Amino acid sequence: MKIKELGIDGKDVGNVEVSDNIFSLKPRKDIIKMVVDWQISRHSKKTGYTKTRGEVAGSRKKIGPQKGSGGARHWNITAPIFVGGGIAHGPKAKGKHRVKRLNKKVRKLGLKHALSSKVLDNKISILSDKDFKNFKTKDFSNFLSKINSKSTLLIYDKENEVLLNNVKNIKNIKNIPEIGTNVYDVLKYQNVLFTHSSIKKLQDRLLKWKKEQIITRMISFLSLLWLKSLQI
């Protein structure tokens, strides 16, 4: 499929060919939700912490005789059954992260589905890399108003770091490098804006594991054929 490439004046410069395996999938909400939940769990901390009977303040002396009182047997006042005693089986977090484990393939798949959902809504654009050194902040803010963007996620490449000086004072825009592209930010912002070089590198990174998988399968297949020829 093709995505429009825009100049800084907001006019069409041309079309960029992108992979159907990334931008033309039928979005699955369950996969996207799994990845978003995983991202949120990595950044949130548990704060609950309770003291056990060995940590609360109080006397460790036995409160009464073992026999003869007619009541239940007790040891000291720090037992969980007493008011002010310790808590049995309470949370013991102390600022630990609530980490969920998620397969790397599922994370990549979630990013592909999130990008495909943005393409369906026509909310992905590519900014031409030409003349990045010449335009100013005002030019970029005019560009965002022309594409009717209320909030924008700008995904740049190391080659385009000059662009950051022109966009850092603009409201409702977030800049992340291509390697940091994630599902949460793609869904949070209304428009996703790639530079020409960053979208190519993103495609190469997301499709790399498929190429490696094909090569390993070919090697295993050829080795099986070689073993069979030796047996004959």
Side-chain angles (χ1 to χ4, degrees):
M1 69 166 295
K2 295 181 179 180
I3 297 178
K4 288 183 180 180
E5 185 175 7
L6 304 175
I8 195 61
D9 54 357
K11 296 179 181 179
D12 292 350
V13 177
N15 294 321
V16 177
E17 191 73 33
V18 294
S19 174
D20 291 338
N21 293 325
I22 299 175
F23 295 96
S24 295
L25 300 175
K26 186 179 179 181
R28 284 184 54 181
K29 292 182 180 180
D30 55 336
I31 295 176
I32 294 173
K33 186 180 183 302
M34 271 197 296
V35 181
V36 170
D37 289 344
W38 172 77
Q39 280 189 253
I40 292 172
S41 69
R42 289 189 68 205
H43 292 286
S44 60
K45 290 184 179 180
K46 292 180 176 180
T47 55
Y49 183 83
T50 54
K51 293 182 178 181
T52 63
R53 64 184 299 169
E55 295 171 321
V56 295
S59 174
R60 266 52 179 175
K61 184 180 178 182
K62 188 174 172 65
I63 59 175
Q66 181 80 353
K67 294 179 181 292
S69 64
R73 297 167 287 183
H74 295 292
W75 187 246
N76 55 36
I77 59 172
T78 61
I81 62 172
F82 295 121
V83 175
I87 304 297
H89 312 296
K92 307 288 285 185
K94 272 194 174 176
K96 294 180 181 177
H97 291 277
R98 296 181 293 176
V99 177
K100 287 184 177 181
R101 291 187 179 182
L102 196 63
N103 197 320
K104 189 181 287 186
K105 290 182 180 179
V106 179
R107 284 181 276 175
K108 284 188 176 182
L109 188 61
L111 181 57
K112 291 177 184 179
H113 282 275
L115 291 170
S116 296
S117 68
K118 283 291 183 180
V119 170
L120 284 176
D121 296 335
N122 199 21
K123 297 297 183 182
I124 287 186
S125 305
I126 299 172
L127 182 63
S128 178
D129 290 354
K130 297 177 182 178
D131 300 327
F132 272 170
K133 295 180 181 180
N134 298 329
F135 73 91
K136 299 180 180 179
T137 305
K138 185 178 180 181
D139 299 327
F140 195 80
S141 62
N142 291 336
F143 167 77
L144 294 177
S145 62
K146 285 176 183 177
I147 63 173
N148 298 321
S149 177
K150 294 181 180 178
S151 62
T152 306
L153 176 67
L154 176 62
I155 301 171
Y156 64 92
D157 186 34
K158 287 184 178 179
E159 301 172 0
N160 315 127
E161 288 185 347
V162 182
L163 179 67
L164 301 181
N165 295 326
N166 299 318
V167 301
K168 61 184 179 181
N169 293 328
I170 299 176
K171 292 182 179 180
N172 300 325
I173 185 169
K174 182 176 181 180
N175 316 313
I176 58 173
E178 170 273 323
I179 195 67
T181 310
N182 61 87
V183 177
Y184 183 82
D185 285 332
V186 168
L187 296 176
K188 180 181 178 181
Y189 291 86
Q190 181 186 6
N191 289 78
V192 179
L193 186 63
F194 286 94
T195 60
H196 189 87
S197 56
S198 66
I199 197 166
K200 285 188 175 180
K201 290 195 174 183
L202 178 69
Q203 287 185 103
D204 294 340
R205 182 165 60 86
L206 292 180
L207 296 174
K208 184 180 177 182
W209 71 274
K210 280 198 170 185
K211 294 176 183 177
E212 292 175 351
Q213 202 174 33
I214 290 168
I215 291 169
T216 52
R217 286 179 180 177
M218 286 291 292
I219 292 170
S220 60
F221 177 71
L222 291 172
S223 61
L224 284 172
L225 288 176
W226 180 68
L227 288 171
K228 286 183 179 180
S229 64
L230 289 177
Q231 292 175 359
I232 294 170

